[in-house]
């Protein structure tokens, strides 16, 4: 496909061979090359990928297939669409995932933009099926309210699964999380829930990678598995810190703070004091104390069990989609 | 300038004149204003604030109650200048404050304050001070309760028996990042709902309620 485009381009150029710079400039502005390149450069700066060549190739590939589908999507040939629907969906999914991979979730605005683009991409599969005659009747209903109406539940769940597996999370570890986040196949997922699910999975993959690194640190230089009580002591401090900084929890000391300066925003002050208290619980001193207090006997804990225990702390705080 | 003020009564001004008040037609040059606290109450003054109205000099005397219960008048501010030139407008309508630090004695256990106003210039028909407020000292200790966990902070160096245990700094750093990631997830939770109407996974007509 790439070769076809290139040859088309060169044949066009050979016909009207420019000799003066004015005609060259005219040609470039007519073809809209400036916009194309500007868009590519902006995306590249946002993503800061380590492989610029590969990134640009992927980017132009996506643009090309999107442009193709845009013109060809209005055709009402039901049978052809039916056959191509599955493959088309797969294509949309891989493109959406590519967008979601561009920015890390900590780059808040870039990540939000990419989530929006991915959401729009995935909702486009809705109107495509309007012409379908097969048993996928309900698809027309969910897209009749607005262009799209939302991402199909099945596609949304599939996106989350791919995000988790790409992030290095084993299927068994991410299963409980997906049970909380998934939607029914036939449901239309609105943007807020889509964003919530995607962000949670991105953060979860970072969290699990950290937990794996933590296990390696707890094992220390010794090659064998870490002691059970030691692992539980370390995870216990994290559990305590999370309990302390919970929105509706926290110690009663927070209520004693009555600084005149912060009277205007007592909620913020209470939150800050809870965060400070929680961070004190996971300071190096506290961890050293917890680890020194762990009894040496009690068997070992392997990496998988540690990962599951850490994942449980995270997943317990994820809001169930309902 | 703190917002807290002590409720007090400002008595009407008393003029001090030489000669008979009824026969003498010249205007008085000295006024005395007494400010008293409710009976039994004493205050540790942080600040006395007022609005000037063409008063040139002010002296402040305090009635203090000492340990034995006896009351004593002492001067805490002598001839404090409010208007650099009594004949001109400068400083005539300023908002002024007299602070604890400016006073000659410690203004503690005060029951009454006397302001002696002087205006030597005959240019002005009248002079006084308005809006007198007494600000007490704030007790810093009662407002700040040190929480338990602050006094409970332990240093890593204090614990020497860390043989065979992993490095607390690296472990703490990982745990902190995991905690931060969980907090990020929690703060970004949405309250949006997908709008399901099923109960326990099914749309049985009998389960639908009419509320």
């Amino acid at each position: 496909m790439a070769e076809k485009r290139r040859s088309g381009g060169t044949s066009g150029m050979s016909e009207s061979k420019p000799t003066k710079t004015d005609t060259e400039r005219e040609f470039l502005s007519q073809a809209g090359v400036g916009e194309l390149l500007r868009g590519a450069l902006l995306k590249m700066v946002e993503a800061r990928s380590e492989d610029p060549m590969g990134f640009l190739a992927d980017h132009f590939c996506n643009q090309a297939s999107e442009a193709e589908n845009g013109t060809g999507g209005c055709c009402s040939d039901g049978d052809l669409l039916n056959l191509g629907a599955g493959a088309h969906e797969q294509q949309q999914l891989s493109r959406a995932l590519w967008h979601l991979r561009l920015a890390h979730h900590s780059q808040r605005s870039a990540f939000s933009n990419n989530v929006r683009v991915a959401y729009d991409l995935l909702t486009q599969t809705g109107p495509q099926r309007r012409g379908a005659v097969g048993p996928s009747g309900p698809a027309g209903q969910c897209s009749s309210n607005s262009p799209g109406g939302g991402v199909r539940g099945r596609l949304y769940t599939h996106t989350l699964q791919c995000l988790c597996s790409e992030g290095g999370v084993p299927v068994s570890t991410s299963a409980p999380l997906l049970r909380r986040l998934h939607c029914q196949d036939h449901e239309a997922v609105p943007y807020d829930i889509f964003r919530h699910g995607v962000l949670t999975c991105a953060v979860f993959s970072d969290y699990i990678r950290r937990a794996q690194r933590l296990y390696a640190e707890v094992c220390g230089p010794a090659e064998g598995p870490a002691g059970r009580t030691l692992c539980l002591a370390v995870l216990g401090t994290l559990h305590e810190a999370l309990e302390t900084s919970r929105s509706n929890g926290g110690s009663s000391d927070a209520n004693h703070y009555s600084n005149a300066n912060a009277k205007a925003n007592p909620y913020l002050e209470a939150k800050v004091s809870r965060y400070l208290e929680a961070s004190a619980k996971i300071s190096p001193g506290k961890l050293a104390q917890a680890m020194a207090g762990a009894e040496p006997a009690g068997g070992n804990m392997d990496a998988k069990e540690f990962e599951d225990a850490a994942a449980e702390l995270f997943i317990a705080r994820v809001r169930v989609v309902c | 300038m703190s917002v807290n003020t002590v409720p007090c009564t400002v008595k009407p001004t008393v003029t001090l004149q030489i000669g008979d008040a009824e026969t003498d037609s010249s205007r008085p040059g000295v006024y005395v204003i007494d400010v008293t606290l409710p009976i039994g109450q004493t205050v540790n003054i942080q600040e006395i604030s007022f609005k000037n109205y063409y008063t040139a000099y002010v002296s402040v005397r305090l009635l203090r109650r000492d340990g034995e219960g006896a009351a004593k008048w002492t001067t805490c501010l002598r001839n404090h200048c409010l208007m650099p030139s009594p004949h001109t407008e400068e400083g005539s309508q300023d908002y002024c404050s007299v602070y604890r630090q400016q006073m000659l004695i410690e203004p503690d256990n005060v029951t009454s304050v006397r302001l002696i106003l002087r205006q030597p210039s005959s240019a002005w028909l009248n002079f006084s001070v308005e809006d007198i407020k007494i600000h007490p000292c704030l007790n810093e200790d009662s407002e700040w309760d040190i929480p338990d966990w602050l006094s409970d902070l332990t240093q890593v160096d204090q614990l020497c028996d860390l043989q065979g245990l992993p490095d607390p700094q690296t472990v703490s750093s990982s745990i902190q990042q995991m905690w931060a990631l969980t907090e990020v997830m929690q703060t970004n939770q949405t309250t949006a709902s997908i709008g399901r109407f099923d109960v326990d996974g099914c749309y049985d007509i009998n389960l639908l309620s009419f509320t």
Side-chain angles (χ1 to χ4, degrees), chain B residues 2-118:
Chain B
S2 50
V3 188
N4 306 334
T5 53
V6 173
C8 47
T9 354
V10 179
K11 292 195 175 149
T13 31
V14 173
T15 62
L16 295 181
Q17 278 178 289
I18 300 174
D20 209 349
E22 286 126 25
T23 53
D24 211 343
S25 58
S26 62
R27 290 192 296 276
V30 187
Y31 281 133
V32 176
I33 300 179
D34 267 343
V35 181
T36 50
L37 288 172
I39 298 173
Q41 260 192 34
T42 60
V43 68
N44 299 345
I45 298 178
Q46 176 66 30
E47 173 191 345
I48 302 173
S49 62
F50 52 85
K51 183 180 180 302
N52 187 14
Y53 187 74
Y54 294 96
T55 307
Y57 304 97
V58 67
S59 298
V60 181
R61 298 196 87 208
L62 303 174
L63 182 64
R64 287 190 305 171
R65 198 162 293 282
D66 59 13
E68 287 93 55
K72 215 162 156 272
W73 278 106
T74 36
T75 309
C76 73
L77 200 67
R78 192 164 280 135
N79 258 351
H80 180 66
C81 179
L82 297 176
M83 286 165 66
S85 167
H87 300 291
T88 59
E89 279 277 345
E90 194 185 337
S92 56
Q93 296 188 54
D94 285 353
Y95 288 89
C96 310
S97 281
V98 178
Y99 292 97
R100 190 189 173 89
Q101 293 84 354
Q102 292 170 276
M103 297 182 186
L104 298 167
I105 45 126
E106 292 296 320
D108 293 328
N109 296 324
V110 174
T111 50
S112 202
V113 178
R114 181 170 284 165
L115 298 163
I116 300 163
L117 316 174
R118 288 203 306 114

Side-chain angles (χ1 to χ4, degrees), chain A residues 13 21 51 57-58 126 136 179 183 192 201 234 247-248 270 272 306:
Chain A
M13 265 188 77
T21 48
D51 175 26
D58 279 336
S136 50
R179 270 200 292 278
C183 290
D192 282 335
C201 286
V234 168
S247 321
N248 43 352
V272 166
F306 186 85

Side-chain angles (χ1 to χ4, degrees), chain A residues 242 245-247 317, chain B residues 181-189:
Chain A
L242 286 171
S245 57
R246 209 168 42 159
S247 321
R317 282 163 181 81
Chain B
L181 284 169
T182 315
E183 283 299 319
V184 163
M185 181 272 294
Q186 280 189 286
T187 41
N188 280 298
Q189 308 243 45

Side-chain angles (χ1 to χ4, degrees), chain A residues 187 245 282 317 319 322, chain B residues 172 174 183 189-190 194 196:
Chain A
E187 285 175 325
S245 57
I282 48 178
R317 282 163 181 81
R319 190 181 150 267
C322 57
Chain B
S172 167
S174 289
E183 283 299 319
Q189 308 243 45
T190 175
I194 202 162
R196 288 185 192 141

Side-chain angles (χ1 to χ4, degrees), chain A residues 157-229:
Chain A
T157 311
H158 203 170
T159 312
L160 296 185
Q161 281 165 348
C162 291
L163 275 176
C164 285
S165 59
E166 275 173 25
V169 182
V171 174
S172 54
T173 317
S174 59
L177 177 69
L178 290 172
R179 270 200 292 278
R180 289 203 172 212
L181 292 176
H182 87 303
C183 290
Q184 304 291 337
D185 287 353
H186 58 272
E187 285 175 325
V189 180
Y191 176 68
D192 282 335
I193 296 188
F194 180 80
R195 184 173 183 276
H196 165 61
V198 165
L199 182 63
T200 307
C201 286
V203 173
F204 186 64
S205 350
D206 276 355
Y207 180 88
I208 290 296
R209 272 200 298 273
R210 259 287 150 196
Q212 288 165 348
R213 221 175 303 173
L214 176 63
Y215 183 75
E217 283 163 11
V218 172
C219 283
E223 291 296 325
R228 173 171 293 272
T229 44

Side-chain angles (χ1 to χ4, degrees), chain A residues 239-322:
Chain A
H239 175 74
E240 260 185 54
L242 286 171
E243 284 295 304
T244 313
S245 57
R246 209 168 42 159
S247 321
N248 43 352
S251 123
S252 58
D253 284 335
N255 302 328
H256 291 190
Y257 273 76
S258 54
N259 186 359
N261 295 334
K263 263 179 190 139
N265 202 346
Y267 166 71
L268 184 64
E269 191 189 273
K271 197 167 158 185
V272 166
S273 71
R274 272 201 308 269
Y275 275 14
L276 281 175
E277 198 179 340
S279 62
K281 291 203 158 76
I282 48 178
S283 63
K286 268 284 187 291
L287 269 165
Q289 210 175 36
M291 291 195 294
E295 288 148 19
N300 293 329
M301 188 188 266
D302 65 353
K304 186 75 184 78
E305 210 185 325
F306 186 85
E307 202 179 283
D308 286 339
E312 203 202 312
L313 285 175
F314 184 95
I315 295 172
R317 282 163 181 81
V318 174
R319 190 181 150 267
V320 179
V321 170
C322 57

